[in-house]
Amino acid sequence: MSQCEKDLEELRETFKSGKTREESWRRTQLKNLLRLLEEKEDDIFKALKQDLGKHHVEAYRDEIGTLIKSVNYALDGLKKWMCGKKAKLPIAAFPSSAELVPEPLGLVLIISSWNFPFGISLEPLIGAIAAGNVVVLKPSEQAPASSSVLAKTISTYLDNKAIKVIEGDNSVGDKLLQQKWDKIFFTGSTKVAKIVMAAAANHLTPVTLELGGKCPVIVDALTSSWDKNIAMKRILAGKFGTCAGQACIGIDYILVEKTYANELVQLIKDAIPKTFGENPKESHSISRIINRTHFLRLKNLLDEPKVKASIVYGGSTDEDNLFIEPTVLLDPPLKAAIMTEEIFGPLLPIITLDKIEDSIEFINARPKTLTIYAFTKDEALKKKIISRTSSGSVVFNDTIIQYAVDTLPFGGVGQSGFGRYHGKFSFDTFSHEKTVARRSFLTDIWFRYPPWNNKSLQLFRSAYRYDYLSVVLITLGLKKA
């Protein structure tokens, strides 16, 4: 930790020097990050294959490509983001002006997760750099190959006196949390988030928590074969095709009417081999489980007798290769762990309801989640979902797309986290919007000062209602106080 403390002191000195506040420095670092992503693409592919078994196309779609897009978006908007915004002032303050000026928070700690080790590390880093901060990135030790690539490449491509990667296990993370930061950005589990918040409270450090939860998808009866085909592709991509379901915004379970359940199960059974191949493990279309601990956790979810009896597709596991095939379950017990814990894997429970509208009550009876997905053409149902549920986001007739759009904030609510980022929202997350007000000596409001009398009180009553005519009349004695 002595070396860590020296690193943090160097970062603080860099921030004090003011160079990270300069647009030229921010722009240079973002361009270098873009160069890193382009020049080290093969290294990133290999690391993601080694850690998670990700196909290189999936790796580009979900991590490299989205990051290149985000860096370019930040470069295009940086100048405008850095500019202050004029604020309106009441006539009573004339002559005066005010603006809101964004300033960097200072020393930032980013703790990232293992499921998207590059995307979840570098997406917030883009915002922290654009906002002019100095940063420590703590990658997840559970994705060691990716962590190593991040440490080597960031120290080579970016300003090592302003941006550092510190690798290590939980003990390193705990020691980092004991330090004083100006902002902590954490992505991970609710359990660890509580530790992060407790540590941040010691220094009153602001935090952003990106967590997750059991994201449901409501599937209404679809009549068109085209709609059904597209819906199945999007549902399977949102569950099995995104890091094998090891994603905070991935689908956790499906809610459907009983009368439509059998057809839905058959549609999914038909769609899985078309999407991932007859043997998904051999086609490398689905990532593997991150490690043995998580594999056994998922296997234990399936091994509960009543849960195992509810499997209608898949269910096979390969511990040697840490692979679980896409598995679909119909009405597992609601009190079973598979329905009370976040699954974070390629297991898809389908829960049947008497009416699709009952899905709202079902969702509201559980902790708030990061996203609610719904496949429906029923506008009345859409309105009910929006107005009567609470979640980080709602997506109709698709999955995952909200993560990739720069103009939409990404973040949770309640137990699914708080704070938001992506695009300009990342810049805002790592900035403080400082109020700057300017006033002239030319005029003054005499009644704002003692000695007080009833006339002063009446003038205040009128002024705070912006009733300037009454202020003038009372001042001239034309209206009684």
Side-chain angles (χ1 to χ4, degrees), residues 70 84 147 156 165-166 177 210 228 258 307 311 394 428:
S70 295
S147 177
T156 302
V165 177
I166 296 180
L177 287 172
E210 297 296 340
K228 292 175 184 178
K258 289 178 181 177
V307 172
I311 295 174
V394 177
D428 294 340

Side-chain angles (χ1 to χ4, degrees), residues 108-169:
V108 168
L109 172 63
I110 296 173
I111 304 175
S112 67
S113 184
W114 51 262
N115 52 343
F116 298 90
F118 291 93
I120 292 177
S121 294
L122 300 183
E123 190 72 49
L125 180 63
I126 292 167
I129 291 172
N133 297 279
V134 292
V135 185
V136 168
L137 170 63
K138 165 65 175 69
S140 172
E141 72 280 5
Q142 295 189 58
S146 299
S147 177
S148 177
V149 169
L150 283 166
K152 291 174 182 176
T153 56
I154 285 178
S155 64
T156 302
Y157 282 80
L158 302 184
D159 184 348
N160 198 39
K161 292 185 177 180
I163 303 157
K164 295 183 184 292
V165 177
I166 296 180
E167 296 183 277
D169 58 14

Side-chain angles (χ1 to χ4, degrees), residues 240-257:
F240 306 115
T242 307
C243 198
Q246 300 170 107
C248 59
I249 56 169
I251 293 170
D252 193 275
Y253 62 93
I254 291 177
L255 296 173
V256 65
E257 279 189 4

Side-chain angles (χ1 to χ4, degrees), residues 142 289-300 319 322:
Q142 295 189 58
I289 308 307
I290 182 66
N291 56 36
R292 188 170 181 272
T293 300
H294 284 273
F295 176 90
L296 292 176
R297 178 186 63 81
L298 290 165
K299 188 173 183 296
N300 288 337
E319 186 171 343
L322 299 177

Side-chain angles (χ1 to χ4, degrees), residues 16 28 98 132 202 225 235 346 431 440 474:
K16 287 179 184 176
T28 297
N202 290 328
S225 58
I235 288 171
S431 300
S440 168
I474 293 169

Side-chain angles (χ1 to χ4, degrees), residues 254-389:
I254 291 177
L255 296 173
V256 65
E257 279 189 4
K258 289 178 181 177
T259 55
Y260 188 58
N262 289 335
E263 182 179 353
L264 176 63
V265 169
Q266 191 59 49
L267 286 169
I268 292 174
K269 285 181 178 180
D270 294 340
I272 287 176
K274 291 178 182 177
T275 305
F276 303 110
E278 293 293 337
N279 188 335
K281 183 172 68 174
E282 296 300 323
S283 69
H284 304 291
S285 298
I286 296 179
S287 302
R288 63 169 174 78
I289 308 307
I290 182 66
N291 56 36
R292 188 170 181 272
T293 300
H294 284 273
F295 176 90
L296 292 176
R297 178 186 63 81
L298 290 165
K299 188 173 183 296
N300 288 337
L301 293 181
L302 283 180
D303 284 345
E304 289 188 43
K306 290 184 178 180
V307 172
K308 183 172 286 189
S310 71
I311 295 174
V312 293
Y313 184 92
S316 68
T317 61
D318 180 353
E319 186 171 343
D320 291 337
N321 293 295
L322 299 177
F323 187 83
I324 299 176
E325 72 170 322
T327 300
V328 183
L329 308 96
L330 184 61
D331 281 324
L334 295 181
K335 292 185 178 180
I338 198 169
M339 285 308 299
T340 58
E341 300 174 8
E342 185 177 6
I343 295 172
F344 229 66
L347 316 178
L348 179 58
I350 298 174
I351 306 300
T352 61
L353 306 168
D354 291 331
K355 296 183 299 181
I356 197 65
E357 288 79 9
D358 294 341
S359 59
I360 293 172
E361 183 180 348
F362 189 96
I363 290 169
N364 288 340
R366 287 152 179 81
K368 295 177 182 179
T369 189
L370 192 57
T371 301
I372 296 172
Y373 300 107
F375 285 81
T376 180
K377 288 187 171 182
D378 186 336
E379 294 302 322
L381 179 59
K382 290 179 184 178
K383 289 179 180 178
K384 287 178 183 178
I385 293 170
I386 293 170
S387 64
R388 292 170 55 186
T389 65

